[in-house]
Amino acid sequence: MNKAITDGLVLMPPAFVNGLDVWSSEDGTPGSATYDGAGNAAFVPADQDFGGCLELAKTDTLQKLRYMGQTPLQPGCYLQVTARVKAISGNLPEVRIAAWAGGAGDVHVPGVIEEGPSVVLSSYGQIVTVRAIIGAGARGGVDMVWGREPIYAHVGLDLTGPNGGSVRIDDLVVEDVTSVFHRKLMDWVDVRDFGAVGDGITDDRAAFEAADAASAGREVLVSAGTYLLGDHMTFESPVRFEGAVTMPADKRLTLTKNFDLPTYVDAFGDELEGFKRAVAVLFNYSDHESLDMKGRRIEVDGPIDIQGVVANKDTYAIRRVIRNGQFNAVSSANWDTETVTSQASYDTGNPLQLTGVVNVANVPVGALVQGLGVGREVYVRDKNVSAQTMTLSAPLFDAAGTQVFTFSRFKYLLDFSGFAALSRFVLSDVELQCGGEASALMLPTSGSIFHIRDCFITKPKDRGITSIGDGCQGILVDRCQFLSNEQPLRAQDRTTIALNTNANDAKIRDNRVVRFAHFAVLGGTGSIITANHWFQGDNETDGIRQAGIVLTQPNVKTSLTANYVDNSFVEWTNEHDPDPDHNSELSFGGLTVTGNIFTVNDVAAWFRWFVIKPVGADHFIQGLNISGNTFKSLNGNIDRVDHIDTTYATLNHGRSRNIVVQGNTFNGVTQTIANPVTLQFSELSAQSVWNCSFAGFLPFGGRARNVTAITAEERITDSGGGWVTAMPYASVEEGANQDAVLITWPVATRGRINVTARVDNPT
């Protein structure tokens, strides 16, 4: 054998019969001494064991034999060098395979092992075979581990031990033995075959890149070990991790062919770290729109700051998705609420700012603001420490002046508040298992179309979904389950809120919400609330109930359609108005409540399903449609369905207009309401003025402001029985409460009429 070819590469040195001028007594480098014409070397043409061979007399302490040609070393390739040797006279030396490592530019690569194991020649004429394997990877059986830097070798052997002996050497054989380590047909390559060390100290990034480049679409195996990657690394091939990698926090591992959470967990050896690394790539690599968690559950002992994980950007507007997994909050002090009290001043002329905030540096962004005149779900959106100011998510309705506020920063499993703007982000099929330890999700400060779909928000400590700015613009919450951590408590003792918004155009659809203090506090307008089921009851008889939906703007341009409103009510207020008295702005209007199921059980008669709570004077209703709903009370009647909460102010009924309340059904409700409302009135004795009271039937205790129809149901007669055909006239807003109509006839009459009255002006 005098030649081996591996993928077109000539590995085998020439036979000795071809001349000794290519065989060096030094390192084999160009210009080194050869054995051609040397006194201690000769070609033997007819040895009885070897045929043609080299006879060499050992004259140096280290007698070298090196082929001067370059035997190529490819990444991932392992070469075995074999020689057969026998002693023929004199002292008996030792023999070993050896080679000189050559790098780019034909320079020597220092620091690598260049000798194989030694074998003692113990008797004359005995054929001894010596061999050694050269390769990049530190694999079992590899004698000379060279890494990636050497690209060729001057192969040969060494004679060591005593001088004065002679040996004969058969032609050297160089073979590709890569298949010993991984079969040619296997569909993967190992990073160790490309020089990766895996000691957690050596930077193996170059070896990883080489393995990826050589894989040609095959899978890359990161075998057992810990591999330091000192810079960004992108794999264009699939990767399988038996070992793990470690990287600086600001560097990214991009897996283009298997971008999913289990692979990142395997890569970094930790679920949470793997998730964080994958999220960083999600926001930095355009080839993947989503991170599939593949159903994995991540144990979390503190808030995940998503922007902090991404680190290199605080705005983003390309659709990104996290899907199909679970986050589980485990007990930790990291979830403890930060509570700070601080004096500050509020001026209605600057409605979204607190000034003169004492100790402002210690008040965290994202904290809930509480104090006198502060509406529900007002948060610290931003702060300026040097100016001692804070920006709020919504105005305060009655807080002008200086007072001490309380700031409470809840801790969230997923916290996006570090993003100045984030749009088109989606959470899909994800469970946020809060366990009463953590809140669930804080939205970015700004942005639009944040979409939460088919998710479970389970047992949040304080909040489900929180908006501290306008990152809720156009938010979509679809087909989610919100399960409270406070289900055993009385309704009035619950404090958790499933979600809030500050901006417009929320779409909240097909959700199920169980026993929160409130389902949603909606601070924007243009919301669509459809086909949700929220229930907030408890086990108390004559129990108190809280609002399910809270609308905090007076003119809401909002619809509530086909919802199941169970043991809670809709509350409509203007508590986010810095100047709550009505001036020239629109008042309570733009609300459509149609096709809903309202039910309640075990409550006192004073419970109401629809409550308007003005926090300023002279407001009125200027556009409300309550139609086609079903109201049903179980285990006792309630008085009526509607109510004005006059804690701060009442409504101006004299300005009501465009109110429609019709087509509703009432069960277990003592007093029904409608607008327009048609009632039947009878007089058995002749009267010239009929007093027609609409008390109770008019929505929200309003006035009988208009009469739109008077219809005689039978013959109207005078006191003598004569038929009266003259038309009466109506006087509206009569009586102490202005809820009666006086029907005046030309003469005293008796009979039965139907009167249709309105609580409003129709336009």
Side-chain angles (χ1 to χ4, degrees), residues 292-313:
D292 191 345
M293 296 178 67
K294 294 288 186 74
R296 290 292 290 262
R297 168 175 167 152
I298 300 176
E299 305 293 322
V300 186
D301 66 356
I304 302 175
D305 176 1
I306 299 297
Q307 190 279 327
V309 167
V310 176
N312 64 334
K313 49 178 64 71

Side-chain angles (χ1 to χ4, degrees), residues 658-681:
N658 196 21
I659 298 172
V660 177
V661 181
Q662 63 184 14
N664 302 293
T665 61
F666 302 88
N667 298 279
V669 180
T670 302
Q671 177 63 65
T672 64
I673 62 170
N675 190 64
V677 58
T678 300
L679 298 180
Q680 187 177 88
F681 298 95

Side-chain angles (χ1 to χ4, degrees), residues 637-700:
N637 284 12
I638 65 170
D639 293 334
R640 58 188 297 123
V641 303
D642 57 327
H643 176 63
I644 301 173
D645 185 332
T646 59
T647 300
Y648 297 97
T650 190
L651 292 178
N652 182 346
H653 293 298
R655 301 183 68 181
S656 297
R657 67 177 187 269
N658 196 21
I659 298 172
V660 177
V661 181
Q662 63 184 14
N664 302 293
T665 61
F666 302 88
N667 298 279
V669 180
T670 302
Q671 177 63 65
T672 64
I673 62 170
N675 190 64
V677 58
T678 300
L679 298 180
Q680 187 177 88
F681 298 95
S682 298
E683 288 289 350
L684 299 180
S685 60
Q687 303 288 334
S688 59
V689 178
W690 293 21
N691 189 338
C692 302
S693 175
F694 287 84
F697 291 95
L698 299 174
F700 304 103

Side-chain angles (χ1 to χ4, degrees), residues 25-26 143 392 498 549 630 715 753:
S25 58
E26 297 176 350
D143 304 290
L392 304 175
I549 297 290
T630 296
R715 178 178 294 186
I753 60 174

